[in-house]
Amino acid sequence: MDELVNRAFRLRGRPAGVADEAALELVREPVGELRDGQALVRTLVLSVDPSNRVFMSEIRSDLPPVEVGAVMRGFGLGRVVASRRADLPVGAHVLGMTGWQDYRVADDRELEGPFQVLPDPLPAGPEELLGVLGLTGITAWLAVEIADPRPGRTVVVSAAGGAVGSIAGQLARERGARVVGIAGGADKCRHVVQELGFDACVDRHDPRWRELLDAATPDGVDADVENAGGEVFDHVLTRLGTGARVALCGMIADYSGDPARRWGVRNLVEVLEQRVSVRGFLVTDHAQRFGEITGELAARIADGRLRYEQDVVEGLENAPEALERVLRGSSRGKVLVRVG
Amino acid sequence: MDELVNRAFRLRGRPAGVADEAALELVREPVGELRDGQALVRTLVLSVDPSNRVFMSEIRSDLPPVEVGAVMRGFGLGRVVASRRADLPVGAHVLGMTGWQDYRVADDRELEGPFQVLPDPLPAGPEELLGVLGLTGITAWLAVEIADPRPGRTVVVSAAGGAVGSIAGQLARERGARVVGIAGGADKCRHVVQELGFDACVDRHDPRWRELLDAATPDGVDADVENAGGEVFDHVLTRLGTGARVALCGMIADYSGDPARRWGVRNLVEVLEQRVSVRGFLVTDHAQRFGEITGELAARIADGRLRYEQDVVEGLENAPEALERVLRGSSRGKVLVRVG
């Protein structure tokens, strides 16, 4: 094993703005010999998510920030290629924090939690297991539960063309609500309406997007599946009706570690006056429901009720650029990096 | 009746900042003759609340804004002095939207809802019926229910020396939580700790108030009874622990109708990452619980568990200045104006 070389992205420093490729450095390092209790996991596919950006900052979250100099944290699907521990046998496919690297030495001291061994053969493609049938789809499901869409209600979904938003909007529509997306670009809006069945979509890049959202929600907004944060959320607040519900699943605009670079939200008084409930949640808190929810999602994919898109980038070296596209909203659907 | 003169504050224009006396004008107008179905209510005591400021703005709320030129909306206790309707007999004491005026003609078309006839004799003083045993005390009770204080938890109460905050802090402490107030001025802080039993209080006027709050909440904050909004709330967000609860009862800093004058909140990402639930509520939605909650509060006053202060201003003409003191945080306890 000692001739094996690992390519890894290490954090050079905390990024200043929202997206900042320069914060990551690709290094080549020898993979040392395994000790007892360790296994070597080859990264096959990485999930690229806004939360990667959170880990690069000093924002408090469920996991501590990635230390400067450490390997970039990332969730992925891998295969065990060498092992000195019985629970991770060679050949097993695993899900977990592979990190942004070719190989991870898995021992029992992982900060990010243990690897989960997948059934053999895999129940779905690696991309699906990281996307629509993984944390992404489960996040969308949980958000829709919080939003509680029903016939007669209007649900707004921001970052509607993104991984979570595109699934959440379809699930909300299935429950009978009128679903209005907010997405970056006319193409993405068309896709969301024509392919995914949203009732309407507002192009965030149109300078009149606020008026367009007002016009698209003439009866106000009963629920918001919030993936964007910042000025989008600030304006959505002004459309909320009495007793509205906000599922806070993402705040991409606010992932700079420097609060001064974030949008100052000025319409929170609407939360009070409209008696709104805002719930922040992280999918990782709900592991006991993953099986049930994945089953619901798989059934909807099987019968065609749920559509999804995957944007697969080839090569570990392109992971930072993939993240930048996610954060800038220029990606569509779930973004993944094929590594191995 | 036609020689009777009504003094009334009418809204001259929308105030610009948070507090703005010039927006109100005291006029003298004859009280016309009562028609069938009308009664004349003499205002005895007015409740002065941050919500008065909301009604002066164009902020969306449960009631539409007071129209420019109209009599200022206000909740008060009055007595029926003339009547041509059976349900409001002469001599009855009533609670309701008297407005900021000496007399109100009550008919069935009141935008603000009907008057509630009180038992005779009154079950408590008029000031208490508008304060600790009225909407103020009930708001505090509901906020504490949302905050769910328990032994081992830390609850922050902003505007802790104010009408709602001072009651809420005592109720939270009764449930066993550690209660940290935030109040404007060292005197108010001393009062909150020494007289009301808060565990600690941070002086908002101290330039180091943020560090002081951090030091007073070494284990983070499990619940926030938010009465201030703005920069106070923005910093409290950074102290919230996992699963924290925010009861949004007031956002005094945000009651300017002009969003540009409000504090831009930059730490909402904490709501997501700490999986916080934020609930805005208005006491008026919970009328079916008023009797039960008033009973709870009355029992606590009777046995000395609950203390309260009243700041009674004499004379209708001083109502705008009283509101200004409430909004600037220079009052203590419940502010009322004795009119009749």
Side-chain angles (χ1 to χ4, degrees), chain A residues 258-319:
Chain A
D258 176 6
R261 285 175 174 262
R262 299 183 198 142
W263 179 268
V265 173
R266 293 177 196 277
N267 291 310
L268 284 176
V269 67
E270 305 273 4
V271 175
L272 168 56
E273 297 295 336
Q274 298 303 318
R275 300 83 116 187
V276 173
S277 94
V278 179
R279 245 193 78 195
F281 73 99
L282 294 180
V283 63
T284 40
D285 288 336
H286 302 270
Q288 79 290 351
R289 295 197 54 206
F290 285 3
E292 162 215 341
I293 296 172
T294 303
E296 296 277 7
L297 293 164
R300 283 164 177 75
I301 292 168
D303 67 15
R305 267 179 293 170
L306 187 59
R307 303 183 66 167
Y308 61 98
E309 278 202 302
Q310 295 174 159
D311 178 346
V312 182
V313 174
E314 294 293 338
L316 175 66
E317 63 280 10
N318 295 314

Side-chain angles (χ1 to χ4, degrees), chain B residues 227-244:
Chain B
N227 298 298
E231 62 182 326
V232 169
F233 182 51
D234 207 7
H235 187 68
V236 169
L237 287 171
T238 69
R239 301 301 300 161
L240 297 180
T242 306

Side-chain angles (χ1 to χ4, degrees), chain A:
Chain A
M1 298 295 290
D2 47 6
E3 68 282 73
L4 203 59
V5 169
N6 183 35
R7 294 176 307 154
F9 277 104
R10 288 189 178 271
L11 192 62
R12 208 197 295 261
R14 305 260 169 238
V18 163
D20 186 354
E21 283 193 50
L24 292 166
E25 179 177 26
L26 187 62
V27 299
R28 302 172 81 88
E29 301 165 336
V31 175
E33 211 149 329
L34 291 186
R35 293 193 307 272
D36 275 343
Q38 293 186 326
L40 191 66
V41 175
R42 172 80 172 108
T43 307
L44 299 180
V45 183
L46 282 173
S47 175
V48 180
D49 307 291
S51 59
N52 289 118
R53 179 62 185 80
V54 174
F55 298 141
M56 296 166 80
S57 75
E58 285 178 324
I59 294 172
R60 300 185 303 149
S61 185
D62 55 339
L63 291 172
V66 175
E67 281 177 46
V68 172
V71 173
M72 174 65 185
R73 183 181 298 145
F75 195 78
L77 186 145
R79 200 177 58 242
V80 179
V81 293
S83 182
R84 293 179 67 176
R85 54 189 281 186
D87 59 336
L88 292 181
V90 171
H93 283 94
V94 293
L95 275 178
M97 290 292 190
T98 56
W100 282 20
Q101 56 188 346
D102 287 320
Y103 295 100
R104 164 148 208 163
V105 175
D107 54 31
D108 283 333
R109 298 164 308 168
E110 286 109 32
L111 178 65
E112 287 92 353
F115 281 99
Q116 174 201 345
V117 177
L118 291 166
D120 182 23
L122 290 180
E127 294 79 10
E128 281 77 6
L129 292 172
L130 289 172
V132 64
L133 293 175
L135 299 185
T136 298
I138 299 169
T139 299
W141 184 275
L142 292 167
V144 170
E145 283 190 346
I146 292 169
D148 195 19
R150 299 188 189 189
R153 293 188 182 172
T154 298
V155 179
V156 162
V157 178
S158 57
V164 171
S166 58
I167 307 291
Q170 293 177 77
L171 294 173
R173 199 148 195 295
E174 184 193 327
R175 296 200 188 194
R178 181 160 178 276
V179 177
V180 177
I182 305 174
D187 272 1
K188 226 185 279 185
C189 277
R190 247 190 312 276
H191 168 73
V192 153
V193 171
Q194 291 176 3
E195 309 295 322
L196 305 183
F198 283 48
D199 295 279
C201 187
V202 170
D203 178 4
R204 181 70 185 76
H205 296 164
D206 189 311
R208 296 179 314 122
W209 68 271
R210 289 181 174 85
E211 294 92 306
L212 293 173
L213 184 67
D214 296 354
T217 57
D219 302 323
V221 171
D222 301 293
D224 172 39
V225 174
E226 188 55 51
N227 299 297
E231 62 181 325
V232 169
F233 182 51
D234 207 7
H235 186 69
V236 169
L237 287 171
T238 69
R239 301 300 302 161
L240 296 180
T242 306
R245 307 162 70 96
V246 175
L248 216 53
C249 6
M251 304 198 79
I252 297 180
D254 293 331
Y255 288 164
S256 170
D258 176 6
R261 285 175 174 262
R262 299 183 198 142
W263 179 268
V265 173
R266 293 177 196 277
N267 291 310
L268 284 176
V269 67
E270 305 273 4
V271 175
L272 168 56
E273 297 295 336
Q274 298 303 318
R275 300 83 116 187
V276 173
S277 94
V278 179
R279 245 193 78 195
F281 73 99
L282 294 180
V283 63
T284 40
D285 288 336
H286 302 270
Q288 79 290 351
R289 295 197 54 206
F290 285 3
E292 162 215 341
I293 296 172
T294 303
E296 296 277 7
L297 293 164
R300 283 164 177 75
I301 292 168
D303 67 15
R305 267 179 293 170
L306 187 59
R307 303 183 66 167
Y308 61 98
E309 278 202 302
Q310 295 174 159
D311 178 346
V312 182
V313 174
E314 294 293 338
L316 175 66
E317 63 280 10
N318 295 314
E321 188 265 336
L323 176 59
E324 188 141 341
R325 287 201 297 120
V326 167
L327 295 171
R328 294 204 186 282
S330 56
S331 57
R332 207 164 86 180
K334 176 71 186 178
V335 176
L336 303 135
V337 174
R338 201 170 282 142
V339 177

